Amino acid sequence: MNDPVSPTNSPDFADQVLALQRQVFLLLLALVVVTATLVAYLFYQSHLLNTELTDTKPTARQFIEEFNKNALVIKNFDKQLSDYALKHPSFQPVMRKYGWTPSNAPGAPAATAPAP
């Protein structure tokens, strides 16, 4: 009987397989090149950021120390302002406008968490 010619035996099929192998190889090579470029770029950016961090650390440390020194002054001013607002009720609307609530007022209810 006549056996049909299978496409696996044709020379055209072998050429197609070789072309696909070449294409896969070139795509893998392109992927390696792109990946290596990305890794090099990220390494360079990491190096730049480390250098910048090293340069700005002393300035940031000085800023934080200055803030911590002034924190006590700010808390003291807030306490004095609250005391003034409690003694002078006409000043309380101004304080409320900026989010002040009389938490340490005599007879003021204790702050509670809202019910879910």
Side-chain angles (χ1 to χ4, degrees):
M1 303 229 239
N2 292 343
D3 289 326
V5 178
S6 68
T8 57
N9 294 336
S10 69
D12 189 37
F13 183 72
D15 291 341
Q16 288 177 354
V17 169
L18 285 174
L20 282 174
Q21 285 178 341
R22 252 183 272 129
Q23 187 176 14
V24 167
F25 174 75
L26 289 175
L27 286 173
L28 287 174
L29 186 64
L31 181 65
V32 168
V33 168
V34 168
T35 303
T37 304
L38 180 64
V39 166
Y41 175 74
L42 291 176
F43 178 75
Y44 176 71
Q45 288 296 320
S46 172
H47 176 72
L48 286 179
L49 287 175
N50 271 340
T51 303
E52 187 176 336
L53 179 64
T54 304
D55 292 344
T56 58
K57 224 178 219 183
T59 307
R61 191 177 314 264
Q62 180 183 4
F63 179 77
I64 291 169
E65 287 173 1
E66 190 69 27
F67 177 80
N68 287 336
K69 277 194 265 182
N70 290 332
L72 294 175
V73 173
I74 293 169
K75 284 181 185 177
N76 187 27
F77 175 73
D78 183 46
K79 183 181 178 314
Q80 289 176 356
L81 198 59
S82 294
D83 291 343
Y84 180 81
L86 291 173
K87 291 177 185 171
H88 299 85
S90 62
F91 189 66
Q92 289 181 6
V94 175
M95 293 290 286
R96 284 195 189 99
K97 177 181 177 182
Y98 295 104
W100 175 79
T101 53
S103 60
N104 58 351
T112 58

